[in-house]
Amino acid sequence: MTGELIEADVGVGRGGRRTRRTGRMCGTDSVTHPAEGECRWERSVESIVLRRRMWPVFVGIVVPGLGIAMIAAVWNVTAVNGFRTGWQGIPVYLAGVGVIVRVACCRVELRETTLLVVNPLRTHTIPKSAIRDVSVNEGGTLGVWIDEEQEIQCYAFGGSLIDHFLGTSDKAERTIERWRSSGGAASKSEATPRVSWTLCPPADVAILLCIVITVTGIIWMAIAGT
């Protein structure tokens, strides 16, 4: 059970097909546990994605559950007060989905020469040569140090009670350290860490629909009220 919260997304394989391997950490020199049982470090992959596997499971349970609850609430409110009031549950649901999915999209991605820390709002692109250290603090949160004072915390591996027992942040730290020692360095033009807004299409679509439905509903209520 100690390694089942780490997921590795293994780049693009032959024919342009994206491959994925998930499994337990095995020893100190492997990223995934291959089907044939052999432990090895995957050096030929384009990228390795690290995240806690509980987040996709959480989204798969909570989002449909909230959807069913939203439909029931809209139906009941509409039956009593009409759709003029009942529709308001739809944008509330979409806003909640947007937040949940955006959090679930958090991850740490190891590329050939750069490390990506994808947090809910900001994405940090850090060249391998710019990383000074990787550590896990007392609360169990994984952090990437750019210098002695600047730390980028990884939301995907924030401290939690579960992590205290399973140690997924520690496993991610060891995986990143092995990646750092595997060679490869960014060019001079890529040696500076960059920060950008995190793009998460499913969450962004949910938020956009929330805004559109809210604005449309307000206009409709104003027109209907006159």
Side-chain angles (χ1 to χ4, degrees):
M1 289 295 293
T2 56
E4 292 187 354
L5 294 183
I6 294 286
E7 179 177 281
D9 195 345
V10 186
V12 179
R14 294 182 179 178
R17 292 180 298 178
R18 192 169 188 83
T19 60
R20 171 171 298 197
R21 290 182 179 179
T22 59
R24 298 176 180 174
M25 299 294 296
C26 188
T28 59
D29 298 319
S30 65
V31 175
T32 60
H33 189 155
E36 64 271 25
E38 179 185 356
C39 297
R40 63 176 181 271
W41 169 258
E42 296 287 347
R43 295 182 181 274
S44 61
V45 301
E46 283 194 4
S47 66
I48 296 172
V49 176
L50 302 178
R51 59 159 60 93
R52 285 191 174 125
R53 290 178 59 188
M54 69 177 184
W55 280 115
V57 174
F58 178 78
V59 171
I61 295 174
V62 172
V63 171
L66 290 177
I68 295 173
M70 180 271 294
I71 293 173
V74 170
W75 181 275
N76 291 332
V77 173
T78 300
V80 176
N81 300 317
F83 191 68
R84 179 184 175 86
T85 303
W87 72 270
Q88 298 174 27
I90 300 175
V92 172
Y93 166 74
L94 291 172
V97 169
V99 172
I100 293 172
V101 174
R102 181 164 283 276
V103 171
C105 284
C106 293
R107 62 190 183 277
V108 176
E109 185 171 344
L110 309 179
R111 297 183 177 179
E112 184 177 359
T113 60
T114 56
L115 180 148
L116 267 67
V117 177
V118 181
N119 287 334
L121 297 178
R122 310 302 294 274
T123 295
H124 301 264
T125 303
I126 311 169
K128 183 182 292 188
S129 58
I131 300 174
R132 296 293 173 262
D133 191 20
V134 181
S135 64
V136 178
N137 63 24
E138 294 181 356
T141 299
L142 177 68
V144 179
W145 292 87
I146 304 303
D147 52 44
E148 293 182 356
E149 297 183 354
Q150 184 179 2
E151 178 191 18
I152 299 173
Q153 294 190 338
C154 305
Y155 198 93
F157 292 95
S160 67
L161 181 62
I162 296 177
D163 182 72
H164 178 73
F165 296 100
L166 298 182
T168 52
S169 294
D170 293 327
K171 293 184 180 69
E173 177 192 4
R174 292 194 293 269
T175 300
I176 295 172
E177 290 292 359
R178 288 194 296 274
W179 168 80
R180 289 180 62 197
S181 63
S182 64
S187 64
K188 292 183 178 180
S189 61
E190 300 175 336
T192 304
R194 294 179 289 108
V195 181
S196 59
W197 289 105
T198 297
L199 297 178
C200 182
D204 296 340
V205 169
I207 295 296
L208 180 61
L209 288 174
C210 171
I211 296 172
V212 171
I213 293 175
T214 299
V215 173
T216 303
I218 292 174
I219 295 174
W220 170 64
M221 291 178 66
I223 294 175
T226 59

